[in-house]
Amino acid sequence: MKSVDYSDVKRFIFDKELIDLLCYNRKFGELLDYFIQDDFLEIKDNMKLPFFAEIRDYQGAVEKADEKAEWLVKEAKGHDLIETEMAMIVYFLDMFTHTLSVPMVVTKINGKIYRATKTINQAEQLSGANYTVFPDLTEPLLLDMINRWIFCDEDRNPNNYMIKYNSKNQNLILAIDFGNTDLLYKGTKIRGASKKFGWEKKEKTRYLTPLKAENFPVYDMQFYNQRFKYFNKLTGNQLFGIAKKALRYNENKDELAKTITTNLLKRRDYVYKYFSSKIPDVIEKDESYKEMGAAFQKFYG
């Protein structure tokens, strides 16, 4: 039975305009080099801002190479700086693992350090959608939980995702808001339940994912390996290099990058081992596969 290949992101996104918007028009290394340039953005004072951004002292900015690419920027100092650096690492690991998420980077504009988030217009929050019923909404969330578990992002409620529609009126779920990510905690912080698939969190926040634990074993490891196969390709050198570039304005970048690399490799291995122990290798005849086949026809038919 064919299923949607969510890792084939360009085919999945479909529209060139959206591929450009979500930065899949560049190879991973090219995108990393582009975003660590100083002054790749310039402030645009007359840019119309969303209300939530205006009241939080954000400014508008555009890319010098493409003025149609709009960003929201705000000066980053102290805790805001380290939080944004962590979010940038998460964003690049999302890109590496073929996960749809909204670009968030730390960069300099005219000598000042800013947090910058790419503007996604004409999108809606996941909280307004029936994401527990339709496979094309549920399935990306199932895969996304792998990322958030590894990143120790312990509060992923429906407001942390956006839905953007392509020209076929198909749903693209985009992960946003990585402020609760904890890449520096030494340990798993989120442990798998022993009796059946589930998780136990150190923090008291409500969500690790908008979905329930019982949604996960309905799918098999062939499905989840769409995401794990990219996480498992990550090497220590690659992780260290990504982290160090994101931390380039930080005096302790080498020490922090080493800690982050060690933590993420251990968590990656732990989460993969846990899924493999609780999720069946293959589900031959299951209603979920009928739904996945229907979703495949909807997306690619």
Side-chain angles (χ1 to χ4, degrees), residues 19-38:
I19 290 171
D20 294 349
L21 177 67
L22 297 174
C23 302
Y24 278 100
N25 55 336
R26 288 185 168 93
K27 294 181 179 179
F28 180 81
E30 294 172 352
L31 185 66
L32 181 58
D33 290 341
Y34 179 65
F35 279 157
I36 62 170
Q37 297 179 87
D38 291 341

Side-chain angles (χ1 to χ4, degrees), residues 2-252:
K2 290 184 177 180
S3 63
V4 178
D5 183 1
Y6 292 99
S7 66
D8 189 355
V9 288
K10 284 188 178 180
R11 187 182 182 197
F12 184 69
I13 295 169
F14 184 71
D15 297 315
K16 183 183 183 304
E17 179 184 352
L18 292 180
I19 290 171
D20 294 349
L21 177 67
L22 297 174
C23 302
Y24 278 100
N25 55 336
R26 288 185 168 93
K27 294 181 179 179
F28 180 81
E30 294 172 352
L31 185 66
L32 181 58
D33 290 341
Y34 179 65
F35 279 157
I36 62 170
Q37 297 179 87
D38 291 341
D39 295 305
F40 82 92
L41 296 174
E42 59 183 354
I43 302 294
K44 196 80 168 180
D45 291 325
N46 61 349
M47 188 175 130
K48 186 176 180 180
L49 304 180
F51 178 71
F52 79 88
E54 206 166 16
I55 63 174
R56 289 175 173 82
D57 298 321
Y58 279 87
Q59 296 174 271
V62 296
E63 295 179 27
K64 290 181 178 180
D66 180 9
E67 290 195 354
K68 293 180 180 179
E70 297 181 336
W71 292 69
L72 298 174
V73 301
K74 183 179 182 179
E75 281 195 59
K77 300 176 182 178
H79 180 72
D80 282 345
L81 175 57
I82 189 70
E83 181 181 287
T84 309
E85 289 167 337
M86 298 299 119
M88 184 173 181
I89 294 168
V90 165
Y91 167 68
F92 274 109
L93 292 178
D94 277 357
M95 290 293 288
F96 187 92
T97 57
H98 293 218
T99 304
L100 296 184
S101 63
V102 175
M104 187 173 190
V105 302
V106 58
T107 189
K108 277 187 178 179
I109 305 175
N110 298 327
K112 295 181 180 180
I113 300 176
Y114 286 83
R115 65 187 300 166
T117 305
K118 199 164 190 183
T119 303
I120 307 295
N121 294 317
Q122 296 179 325
E124 62 186 52
Q125 286 188 320
L126 180 69
S127 54
N130 199 346
Y131 56 86
T132 60
V133 172
F134 299 106
D136 56 337
L137 297 176
T138 304
E139 291 170 359
L141 293 175
L142 292 169
L143 295 173
D144 188 77
M145 204 269 279
I146 295 169
N147 300 52
R148 309 314 145 196
W149 191 333
I150 292 171
F151 302 147
C152 282
D153 193 348
E154 293 193 78
D155 193 11
R156 297 300 298 179
N157 63 66
N159 293 328
N160 298 135
Y161 299 91
M162 299 174 70
I163 300 176
K164 179 75 175 174
Y165 298 94
N166 64 12
S167 62
K168 292 185 175 182
N169 203 33
Q170 296 161 347
N171 303 299
L172 305 177
I173 294 185
L174 313 178
I176 61 173
D177 297 337
F178 308 125
N180 290 317
T181 292
D182 192 344
L183 305 183
L184 297 174
Y185 181 85
K186 295 183 179 180
T188 57
K189 200 173 186 179
I190 304 165
R191 297 199 63 82
S194 58
K195 292 186 178 180
K196 59 182 181 179
F197 186 90
W199 50 88
E200 299 167 356
K201 302 196 296 97
K202 188 176 182 66
E203 302 294 335
K204 300 301 182 184
T205 49
R206 184 178 177 188
Y207 296 103
L208 174 60
T209 169
L211 301 175
K212 295 181 179 180
E214 52 263 35
N215 295 126
F216 288 81
V218 176
Y219 291 78
D220 61 27
M221 282 303 294
Q222 286 189 346
F223 173 77
Y224 292 111
N225 279 332
Q226 292 182 72
R227 188 61 43 83
F228 279 122
K229 70 179 178 182
Y230 293 104
F231 268 112
N232 291 338
K233 287 180 180 179
L234 275 170
T235 67
N237 287 338
Q238 288 172 318
L239 278 169
F240 184 82
I242 292 168
K244 189 173 178 179
K245 287 181 178 181
L247 292 158
R248 64 198 181 280
Y249 304 129
N250 197 303
E251 292 181 358
N252 299 320

